[in-house]
Amino acid sequence: MATALITGGTSGIGAAFARALAARGDDLVIVARNADRLSEAATELKERYAVNVETIVADLAVRSDVVGIGERLASVERPIDLLVNNAGFAVRVKLTAADTTPHEHAIDVMIRAVLMLGAVAGRAMRQRGAGTIINVSSTAGFMAMGNYSAIKAWVTSYTEGLANELHGTAVKVVALCPGWVRTEFHERANINVGSIPQVLWLDADRLVDDCLKDAAAGKVISIPSKRYKILITLVDHVPHRARRAISRIMRPSRH
Ligand SMILES: NC(=O)c1ccc[n+]([C@@H]2O[C@H](COP(=O)([O-])OP(=O)(O)OC[C@H]3O[C@@H](n4cnc5c(N)ncnc54)[C@H](OP(=O)(O)O)[C@@H]3O)[C@@H](O)[C@H]2O)c1
């Protein structure tokens, strides 16, 4: 029986991973800050799918909390077969803001924690000769919309580097690059989504199904949905100058 560890497993994309993996019979370890929500999610998953669900209350911005999650990931007696580095949030602060602590916080959660957990999982999985690491990035990483784009560009590039480092082992590494997905992400960041065309919205459960298929097929970059595949192929082919101009237009709604 497989076990998956999901950061941010209580809401949105992380909760969709939890449902999809539990539905195929995987045991889960879910991580988030809100203890009440974690235990509610665990109870629901256990009742609905009859799987084991452990919870870890942790703030990924706190280094010692990340070290604690790493210890669970490194366990030889209770191995983790799939790590989903998912927890994250929007960053809507200007790069020139006097107070850069929101940027530093975002880097701690969406870069430092991903790097630390990826290192532990990569070593443990390589040693066992099996495992999958999914890092939730974003199509924003292909654009130039402030620190969030820069962080997600790092996540995608880091994932490719990790995939190269583990090339030839049985460990699979995937960067999931979603477009707009209906979750709590936008509400938490007070993002006005009124101007986002309906056609650009993705469903979290469908997105996760597509990503798990891509992971099984050995894809390193997973861009779910035909429309986003086409959009990102176009973005990849326009000059950086044009990409920056498009990013300037999109920036007011999504930093
Ligand atoms: N929704 C989109 O349109 C979209 C698009 C592209 C990429 N993404 C990426 O998808 C990932 C998941 O986002 P989502 O849309 O599912 O957002 P969401 O619904 O707001 O869920 C975020 C999850 O992360 C947890 N979390 C946040 N900060 C944390 C911290 N410091 N430590 C531990 N857990 C933390 C939250 O739980 P607690 O608050 O209890 O900690 C929650 O479980 C993020 O990496 C995001 O950048 C989202």
Side-chain angles (χ1 to χ4, degrees):
M1 181 147 330
T3 303
L5 187 148
I6 307 163
T7 67
T10 54
S11 169
I13 297 171
F17 267 109
R19 286 190 295 274
L21 295 167
R24 73 180 195 190
D26 289 7
D27 288 333
L28 302 174
V29 182
I30 51 174
V31 180
R33 290 166 301 180
N34 185 322
D36 291 343
R37 242 184 123 170
L38 261 177
S39 72
E40 269 167 41
T43 305
E44 207 179 307
L45 288 159
K46 281 188 227 169
E47 282 174 3
R48 193 159 159 198
Y49 300 103
V51 294
N52 261 329
V53 185
E54 290 170 51
T55 57
I56 301 179
V57 180
D59 183 346
L60 293 171
V62 177
R63 197 177 188 282
S64 55
D65 282 13
V66 183
V67 171
I69 302 165
E71 283 164 10
R72 177 63 191 86
L73 270 174
S75 168
V76 177
E77 301 79 34
R78 295 179 301 150
I80 300 292
D81 305 280
L82 167 62
L83 164 66
V84 186
N85 266 319
N86 160 76
F89 44 84
V91 190
R92 303 191 67 219
V93 178
K94 286 192 187 306
L95 291 167
T96 49
D99 178 9
T100 57
T101 50
H103 291 303
E104 295 164 39
H105 178 243
I107 286 168
D108 288 347
V109 175
M110 290 186 276
I111 294 185
R112 186 180 65 187
V114 170
L115 177 80
M116 289 172 66
L117 299 180
V120 184
R123 277 199 309 280
M125 290 173 183
R126 181 173 52 202
Q127 207 158 21
R128 280 203 311 278
T132 302
I133 299 171
I134 297 175
N135 296 321
V136 181
S137 187
S138 171
T139 50
F142 299 100
M143 306 300 288
M145 296 181 290
N147 196 24
Y148 184 74
S149 277
I151 286 170
K152 293 303 189 179
W154 180 89
V155 173
T156 304
S157 174
Y158 158 78
T159 304
E160 292 197 273
L162 186 62
N164 270 348
E165 196 168 310
L166 294 171
H167 188 76
T169 73
V171 183
K172 290 176 171 154
V173 187
V174 185
L176 166 60
C177 302
W180 295 93
V181 191
R182 291 202 188 279
T183 67
E184 293 174 17
F185 178 94
H186 315 96
E187 200 185 312
R188 284 183 197 237
N190 235 342
I191 296 174
N192 175 10
V193 294
S195 57
I196 312 303
Q198 198 60 29
V199 67
L200 290 184
W201 285 103
L202 299 171
D203 170 70
D205 292 308
R206 173 86 195 271
L207 174 95
V208 164
D209 278 352
D210 286 354
C211 175
L212 291 173
K213 279 184 197 133
D214 283 346
K219 284 195 186 167
V220 174
I221 309 257
S222 172
I223 303 177
S225 88
K226 257 201 191 107
R227 49 202 188 275
Y228 276 102
K229 279 189 180 74
I230 293 167
L231 274 175
I232 295 307
T233 305
L234 291 173
V235 164
D236 252 358
H237 285 83
V238 299
H240 278 256
R241 198 176 58 242
R243 208 184 300 187
R244 286 195 299 276
I246 300 166
S247 301
R248 282 198 295 278
I249 297 164
M250 290 175 68
R251 196 180 157 84
S253 64
R254 186 179 192 168
H255 288 245

